[in-house]
Amino acid sequence: VVAGVALKDLVSSMFSGALVGIDKSFAPGDYISIKEVTGVVEKIGFLTTKIITDDGKKVFVPNQLIFSAPFTNYSSSGQRKVFLDLQVAADQDLEKTIQVILEEIKSFEFTDHIDDTQVIILKQSFGIFYLQARFFMKTGKNIVQIKSDALIKLKMKLEESGIELATQTQIETNNT
Protein backbone atom coordinates (compact mmCIF):
# COMPACT_ATOMS: atom_id res chain seq x y z
CA VAL A 1 0.00 0.00 0.00
CA VAL A 2 2.81 2.39 0.96
CA ALA A 3 4.68 1.59 -2.27
CA GLY A 4 1.51 2.11 -4.29
CA VAL A 5 0.90 5.53 -2.78
CA ALA A 6 4.55 6.51 -3.20
CA LEU A 7 4.65 5.40 -6.83
CA LYS A 8 1.33 6.99 -7.77
CA ASP A 9 2.89 10.32 -8.83
CA LEU A 10 5.77 8.57 -10.59
CA VAL A 11 3.44 6.36 -12.62
CA SER A 12 1.18 9.34 -13.34
CA SER A 13 4.14 11.38 -14.65
CA MET A 14 5.37 8.46 -16.76
CA PHE A 15 1.92 7.94 -18.26
CA SER A 16 1.54 11.68 -18.87
CA GLY A 17 4.97 11.75 -20.52
CA ALA A 18 3.85 9.04 -22.93
CA LEU A 19 0.65 11.00 -23.63
CA VAL A 20 2.63 14.17 -24.36
CA GLY A 21 4.60 12.21 -26.96
CA ILE A 22 1.47 10.68 -28.49
CA ASP A 23 -0.72 13.80 -28.35
CA LYS A 24 1.91 16.09 -29.94
CA SER A 25 0.40 19.13 -28.17
CA PHE A 26 3.83 20.69 -28.27
CA ALA A 27 7.35 19.78 -29.34
CA PRO A 28 10.87 20.91 -28.51
CA GLY A 29 11.30 24.49 -29.73
CA ASP A 30 7.67 25.48 -29.11
CA TYR A 31 6.91 28.51 -26.95
CA ILE A 32 4.41 27.42 -24.27
CA SER A 33 2.86 28.46 -20.98
CA ILE A 34 1.94 25.97 -18.25
CA LYS A 35 0.57 27.46 -15.03
CA GLU A 36 3.07 30.26 -14.17
CA VAL A 37 5.89 28.87 -16.36
CA THR A 38 6.35 30.38 -19.83
CA GLY A 39 9.20 29.62 -22.19
CA VAL A 40 10.63 27.42 -24.91
CA VAL A 41 10.39 23.63 -24.63
CA GLU A 42 13.90 22.23 -24.68
CA LYS A 43 13.20 18.56 -24.01
CA ILE A 44 10.21 16.33 -23.33
CA GLY A 45 11.31 13.59 -20.99
CA PHE A 46 9.62 10.53 -19.57
CA LEU A 47 8.89 12.24 -16.23
CA THR A 48 9.37 15.95 -16.85
CA THR A 49 9.35 18.54 -19.61
CA LYS A 50 12.31 20.95 -19.57
CA ILE A 51 11.40 24.58 -20.35
CA ILE A 52 13.82 27.48 -20.76
CA THR A 53 12.04 30.60 -19.49
CA ASP A 54 12.39 34.05 -21.04
CA ASP A 55 14.93 34.99 -18.41
CA GLY A 56 17.03 31.88 -19.15
CA LYS A 57 16.04 29.69 -16.20
CA LYS A 58 15.65 25.94 -16.71
CA VAL A 59 12.34 24.77 -15.29
CA PHE A 60 11.37 21.11 -15.08
CA VAL A 61 7.59 20.70 -15.21
CA PRO A 62 6.23 17.30 -14.13
CA ASN A 63 4.39 15.78 -17.09
CA GLN A 64 1.34 14.99 -14.94
CA LEU A 65 0.90 18.76 -14.44
CA ILE A 66 0.58 19.21 -18.20
CA PHE A 67 -2.58 17.15 -18.33
CA SER A 68 -4.03 18.40 -15.05
CA ALA A 69 -3.80 22.12 -15.87
CA PRO A 70 -4.60 24.19 -18.95
CA PHE A 71 -1.59 25.13 -21.04
CA THR A 72 -1.05 27.33 -24.07
CA ASN A 73 1.13 26.55 -27.07
CA TYR A 74 1.83 29.94 -28.63
CA SER A 75 3.91 28.42 -31.41
CA SER A 76 1.01 26.37 -32.76
CA SER A 77 -1.03 29.43 -33.70
CA GLY A 78 1.86 31.19 -35.37
CA GLN A 79 0.66 34.51 -33.94
CA ARG A 80 1.49 36.16 -30.66
CA LYS A 81 0.04 39.40 -29.46
CA VAL A 82 2.10 41.96 -27.58
CA PHE A 83 0.51 44.22 -24.96
CA LEU A 84 2.35 47.38 -23.89
CA ASP A 85 1.04 49.53 -21.06
CA LEU A 86 1.79 53.26 -21.21
CA GLN A 87 0.75 56.18 -19.02
CA VAL A 88 0.26 59.69 -20.35
CA ALA A 89 -0.49 62.81 -18.33
CA ALA A 90 -3.92 64.35 -18.95
CA ASP A 91 -2.38 67.58 -20.27
CA GLN A 92 -0.98 65.76 -23.33
CA ASP A 93 -2.82 65.67 -26.67
CA LEU A 94 -4.43 62.21 -26.38
CA GLU A 95 -5.50 61.89 -30.02
CA LYS A 96 -2.03 62.83 -31.24
CA THR A 97 -0.47 60.43 -28.73
CA ILE A 98 -2.58 57.51 -29.96
CA GLN A 99 -1.84 58.36 -33.59
CA VAL A 100 1.94 58.57 -32.99
CA ILE A 101 1.93 55.23 -31.14
CA LEU A 102 -0.09 53.52 -33.90
CA GLU A 103 2.14 54.85 -36.68
CA GLU A 104 5.32 53.87 -34.84
CA ILE A 105 4.14 50.33 -34.07
CA LYS A 106 3.12 49.83 -37.70
CA SER A 107 6.67 50.80 -38.73
CA PHE A 108 8.35 48.14 -36.54
CA GLU A 109 10.03 45.37 -38.52
CA PHE A 110 8.73 42.82 -35.98
CA THR A 111 5.05 43.82 -36.27
CA ASP A 112 2.76 41.38 -38.05
CA HIS A 113 -0.88 41.88 -39.14
CA ILE A 114 -0.48 45.66 -39.19
CA ASP A 115 -4.22 46.26 -39.68
CA ASP A 116 -4.93 44.61 -36.30
CA THR A 117 -2.73 47.07 -34.40
CA GLN A 118 -4.62 49.13 -31.84
CA VAL A 119 -4.17 51.56 -28.97
CA ILE A 120 -6.93 51.69 -26.40
CA ILE A 121 -7.56 53.77 -23.31
CA LEU A 122 -7.90 51.46 -20.33
CA LYS A 123 -8.79 54.09 -17.76
CA GLN A 124 -8.22 57.62 -16.54
CA SER A 125 -7.31 58.20 -12.96
CA PHE A 126 -5.99 61.25 -11.11
CA GLY A 127 -4.93 63.05 -14.27
CA ILE A 128 -3.21 60.07 -15.89
CA PHE A 129 -4.51 58.23 -18.95
CA TYR A 130 -3.61 54.53 -18.97
CA LEU A 131 -3.14 53.32 -22.54
CA GLN A 132 -2.48 49.89 -23.93
CA ALA A 133 -0.87 49.30 -27.32
CA ARG A 134 -1.67 45.92 -28.86
CA PHE A 135 -0.02 44.34 -31.87
CA PHE A 136 0.91 40.96 -33.30
CA MET A 137 4.58 40.09 -33.50
CA LYS A 138 6.19 37.99 -36.20
CA THR A 139 6.60 34.29 -35.48
CA GLY A 140 9.92 33.17 -34.06
CA LYS A 141 10.79 36.42 -32.32
CA ASN A 142 11.61 36.75 -28.60
CA ILE A 143 8.64 38.48 -26.93
CA VAL A 144 10.73 39.91 -24.08
CA GLN A 145 13.14 41.53 -26.54
CA ILE A 146 10.26 42.75 -28.71
CA LYS A 147 8.62 44.46 -25.72
CA SER A 148 11.88 46.10 -24.71
CA ASP A 149 12.67 47.32 -28.24
CA ALA A 150 9.11 48.54 -28.75
CA LEU A 151 9.06 50.53 -25.50
CA ILE A 152 12.39 52.20 -26.29
CA LYS A 153 11.29 53.10 -29.83
CA LEU A 154 7.91 54.36 -28.64
CA LYS A 155 9.47 56.53 -25.95
CA MET A 156 11.90 58.05 -28.45
CA LYS A 157 9.13 58.69 -31.02
CA LEU A 158 6.80 60.23 -28.43
CA GLU A 159 9.56 62.54 -27.15
CA GLU A 160 10.42 63.46 -30.75
CA SER A 161 6.75 64.37 -31.23
CA GLY A 162 6.68 66.51 -28.09
CA ILE A 163 4.62 64.03 -26.07
CA GLU A 164 5.74 63.06 -22.59
CA LEU A 165 4.90 59.82 -20.84
CA ALA A 166 3.71 60.20 -17.25
CA THR A 167 6.54 59.90 -14.75
CA GLN A 168 6.36 58.04 -11.47
CA THR A 169 6.46 61.42 -9.68
CA GLN A 170 3.41 62.62 -11.63
CA ILE A 171 1.55 59.41 -10.84
CA GLU A 172 2.42 59.57 -7.12
CA THR A 173 1.64 63.29 -6.91
CA ASN A 174 -1.71 62.84 -8.65
CA ASN A 175 -2.64 59.84 -6.47
CA THR A 176 -2.12 61.70 -3.18
Side-chain angles (χ1 to χ4, degrees):
V1 172
V2 172
V5 171
L7 293 175
K8 178 181 139 255
D9 288 340
L10 179 65
V11 171
S12 177
S13 281
M14 288 171 45
F15 183 70
S16 296
L19 286 176
V20 168
I22 292 168
D23 188 41
K24 306 270 190 243
S25 299
F26 56 84
D30 283 354
Y31 190 84
I32 66 169
S33 180
I34 302 171
K35 289 237 177 199
E36 293 90 32
V37 178
T38 301
V40 177
V41 176
E42 185 173 88
K43 181 181 177 188
I44 301 170
F46 206 52
L47 298 175
T48 62
T49 295
K50 182 177 173 182
I51 298 173
I52 307 298
T53 63
D54 291 331
D55 59 357
K57 293 180 182 153
K58 292 180 184 180
V59 178
F60 296 87
V61 178
N63 287 331
Q64 71 184 53
L65 181 64
I66 294 167
F67 285 99
S68 65
F71 66 89
T72 305
N73 183 346
Y74 295 102
S75 299
S76 66
S77 69
Q79 300 174 354
R80 290 174 57 202
K81 203 163 196 180
V82 178
F83 297 86
L84 300 174
D85 293 323
L86 305 162
Q87 293 86 35
V88 178
D91 63 352
Q92 300 297 306
D93 183 341
L94 204 54
E95 287 182 29
K96 179 181 176 185
T97 302
I98 291 171
Q99 190 60 38
V100 168
I101 292 170
L102 279 172
E103 288 174 8
E104 185 64 11
I105 288 173
K106 289 178 180 182
S107 75
F108 295 160
E109 69 278 357
F110 45 75
T111 301
D112 205 4
H113 305 286
I114 291 173
D115 293 335
D116 294 327
T117 300
Q118 60 182 175
V119 177
I120 60 170
I121 301 169
L122 297 175
K123 69 177 183 175
Q124 188 276 333
S125 178
F126 299 105
I128 303 291
F129 282 96
Y130 293 81
L131 309 175
Q132 189 172 74
R134 300 173 177 183
F135 63 95
F136 285 100
M137 60 179 260
K138 290 185 178 173
T139 305
K141 300 289 185 181
N142 180 329
I143 194 165
V144 175
Q145 189 63 52
I146 295 289
K147 284 183 175 184
S148 176
D149 291 349
L151 286 170
I152 290 168
K153 290 178 180 187
L154 284 172
K155 182 179 186 304
M156 288 176 17
K157 188 63 173 184
L158 288 167
E159 287 174 352
E160 189 179 290
S161 301
I163 300 166
E164 295 180 25
L165 293 172
T167 63
Q168 189 63 37
T169 306
Q170 288 171 316
I171 293 170
E172 288 173 359
T173 301
N174 290 331
N175 285 334
T176 56

